[in-house]
Amino acid sequence: MAGMNEPGTALYTAEQVRDLDRRAIHEFGIPSYELMTRAGHATLDALRAHWPRVQSLTVLCGPGNNGGDGYVVARVAKAVGLRARAIALADPAGLTGDARRACDDFIAAGGRCEPWTPAALDGEVIVDALYGTGLAREVTGDAARLIDAANASRRPIVAVDIPSGLHADSGSVLGTATRAALTVTFIGRKVGQHLGAGPEHCGRIVFDALEVPGATYAGMAPVARLLDERDVLQVLPRRRRAAHKGDHGHVLVIGGGPGMPGAARLAGEAALRAGAGLVTLAVHPDNVGSAAARPELMCVAARSVDEIAGPLSRATVVAIGPGLGQDEWARSLLEAAIASGRPLVADADALNLVAAAPRALDRWVLTPHPGEAARLLGRSSAEVQSDRLQAVRELQERYRGTIVLKGAGSIVAGPAGTTPAICDRGNPGMAAAGMGDVLTGIIAGVAAQCGDLDQAARAGVLVHAQAGDLAAAHGERGLLASDVIAQVRACVNPA
């Protein structure tokens, strides 16, 4: 997947981006002040594209190079006829290097630096250029008060490179952080913008490479990348006209324990909509009637392991866990599925059973939410959420196969040597019952067609999120898992 790691999708740590800056300056001869100037122009261009009628800006300038970017924004804004106030967090006399030059150029162009007062936040749009990616300590004092006032102003905020107070690597909030409507980020995308609180604080993210040469990125392996449409296209190509259902795999969904008939059916329907040729549900006898209500689904009453021996022998891939339960019946079915040698997609109660009796397999995809991940790792959900990228790496090292850590910014981590992938699609409406079952079915359905679990997990996560966004077109609140299933077909048939 190395071909997908170009700057537009690659995600880097703050230190890696600083190294990319140094390469652009020292190896390719781009003056550092030229990069700062380009960053200021890029920020204003993105701001005006987003709010084309804006007439006034309040630019919050910090004591370092991020503040220098802000002074460039203010200067260029004045040059194009906008009213721009530059609010200095610290005495501009203490600025050095490029930041000092940017401030001096702003003053020479007729601007003036003002101290912060609540009344100063009167621009139609606030530009946050207080702190950049180097921030690693908690924001306190006047800086915290200024950030909180900007957040409370009800004015849209544009963050320069990264919202002030957001950790560039983990996405954690360092005491307080600006809540931007738009973040314009430079040279390399920061991984923390897509982890933890990152999506909540960054808003829409616009990336600008500032015209640095492509060779700047040579040999710089990103820590992660963003999923994109190519993840779907490479595993779900256009079908041959002579294709038949047997060409597209047979998914066996094992679940639907007593009192839980719906989960297995949701997974089965999602697998069909993802393009699987055949889908069989193996459920508790009590649930056969409910699970088989979709006529395209085959159904088996799994009284014991013996009843699933035949379906297991015919399956291309097995999805296990939706509504499974954790009793002896459930444990016996999980052990039979593992012993079958078939590729597995495991979710929900299957994960809880694995946590109780850990083992490692190369031929499975595990799809935990943070609580399930915590049980698999023997720690708290809060610890998992505090460093999601590290948590998914540890899960993959411990359980092998491919791990999908679900949540806002789901992460897919495959075998060693593959770059973890983060999904920046999806919406809060998908925090609803049955969504995980749908994801399990989609991944299994894609795997049945392409025969590669890791690639199926990446494609499935993206398809699930895209379908969720389509389903939320008329509102996020009240979104149902079945609404998402109805949109899956459009997402597995990309133009």
Side-chain angles (χ1 to χ4, degrees):
M1 307 288 284
M4 291 190 184
N5 288 339
E6 70 269 14
T9 59
L11 301 175
Y12 300 98
T13 65
E15 181 54 40
Q16 285 181 307
V17 176
R18 285 191 287 273
D19 192 33
L20 291 171
D21 281 337
R22 287 191 289 268
R23 291 184 184 187
I25 294 165
H26 298 296
E27 295 181 23
F28 296 97
I30 304 174
S32 58
Y33 190 64
E34 172 63 22
L35 288 177
M36 181 175 283
T37 301
R38 292 179 188 179
H41 278 275
T43 300
L44 187 63
D45 288 346
L47 185 158
R48 297 184 78 192
H50 207 69
W51 295 281
R53 298 182 180 179
V54 68
Q55 294 296 314
S56 62
L57 308 178
T58 299
V59 186
L60 311 180
C61 299
N65 279 346
N66 197 248
D69 294 341
Y71 287 116
V72 174
V73 172
R75 174 175 61 80
V76 177
K78 284 181 62 67
V80 297
L82 304 183
R83 183 170 67 86
R85 300 180 72 170
I87 308 303
L89 176 62
D91 185 350
L95 295 174
T96 59
D98 290 336
R100 179 59 182 265
R101 180 177 173 183
C103 181
D104 289 346
D105 285 351
F106 169 64
I107 293 171
R112 68 186 186 91
C113 300
E114 307 175 43
W116 171 62
T117 66
L121 300 177
D122 63 347
E124 296 168 272
V125 175
I126 295 172
V127 177
D128 164 28
L130 292 172
Y131 295 116
T133 60
L135 186 69
R137 58 174 174 80
E138 189 165 296
V139 180
T140 59
D142 286 344
R145 286 187 282 274
L146 179 50
I147 288 171
D148 290 342
N151 286 338
S153 70
R154 296 177 178 263
R155 289 172 168 80
I157 300 173
V158 176
V160 178
D161 205 26
I162 193 166
S164 294
L166 185 71
H167 195 283
D169 292 347
S170 70
S172 59
V173 172
L174 300 169
T176 189
T178 50
R179 289 183 173 271
L182 176 69
T183 296
V184 188
T185 198
F186 316 117
I187 305 292
R189 291 180 180 267
K190 289 74 185 172
V191 66
Q193 294 173 334
H194 301 277
L195 296 172
E200 186 77 21
H201 284 263
C202 289
R204 180 188 171 204
I205 299 174
V206 172
F207 170 68
D208 195 305
L210 303 185
E211 300 176 41
V212 302
T216 305
Y217 303 91
M220 179 70 75
V223 293
R225 68 173 180 85
L226 293 177
L227 292 171
D228 71 13
E229 284 69 14
R230 290 168 294 177
D231 288 288
V232 178
L233 286 168
Q234 69 177 355
V235 297
L236 297 176
R238 186 179 296 276
R239 290 181 169 180
R240 297 179 298 107
R241 286 187 61 83
H244 58 85
K245 63 188 177 185
D247 294 332
H248 308 309
H250 189 160
V251 174
L252 173 63
V253 178
I254 302 176
M260 295 181 284
R265 178 177 165 184
L266 286 170
E269 290 193 23
L272 283 173
R273 289 298 188 187
L278 297 161
V279 177
T280 297
L281 307 185
V283 300
H284 192 275
D286 294 349
N287 294 329
V288 170
S290 299
R294 164 65 75 175
E296 295 89 349
L297 292 169
M298 296 177 284
C299 195
V300 172
R303 297 172 183 84
S304 68
V305 170
D306 292 341
E307 273 77 18
I308 67 168
L312 276 172
S313 70
R314 294 187 291 272
T316 309
V317 62
V318 176
I320 185 163
L324 183 67
Q326 299 182 56
D327 58 11
E328 184 55 38
W329 175 82
R331 280 192 290 273
S332 67
L333 295 184
L334 175 62
E335 293 303 326
I338 291 173
S340 73
R342 293 292 186 263
L344 302 178
V345 182
D347 186 32
D349 284 323
L351 298 175
N352 294 324
L353 292 170
V354 170
R359 77 284 306 273
L361 287 177
D362 292 323
R363 54 179 171 80
W364 65 9
V365 178
L366 305 185
T367 62
H369 59 54
E372 292 160 343
R375 287 189 283 277
L376 287 164
L377 290 172
R379 61 183 63 168
S380 70
S381 297
E383 289 175 303
V384 168
Q385 289 294 79
S386 69
D387 194 340
R388 285 171 55 83
L389 193 57
Q390 180 60 26
V392 79
R393 287 173 177 147
E394 291 182 20
L395 284 166
Q396 202 285 324
E397 289 172 3
R398 185 174 301 186
Y399 294 95
R400 299 206 307 265
T402 295
I403 310 296
V404 176
L405 180 56
K406 297 184 291 195
S410 292
I411 309 174
V412 185
T418 60
T419 304
I422 299 176
C423 183
D424 64 349
R425 322 290 174 91
N427 62 83
M430 298 175 73
M435 292 292 176
D437 306 318
V438 173
L439 175 61
T440 297
I442 294 171
I443 294 173
V446 175
Q449 296 168 81
C450 75
D452 187 304
L453 284 175
D454 185 56
Q455 291 186 353
R458 293 164 192 265
V461 167
L462 183 61
V463 164
H464 182 247
Q466 290 175 319
D469 287 341
L470 289 175
H474 299 294
E476 295 172 355
R477 190 173 286 108
L479 189 66
L480 301 181
S482 53
D483 298 331
V484 175
I485 292 174
Q487 301 297 331
V488 168
R489 184 159 58 126
C491 301
V492 293
N493 289 285

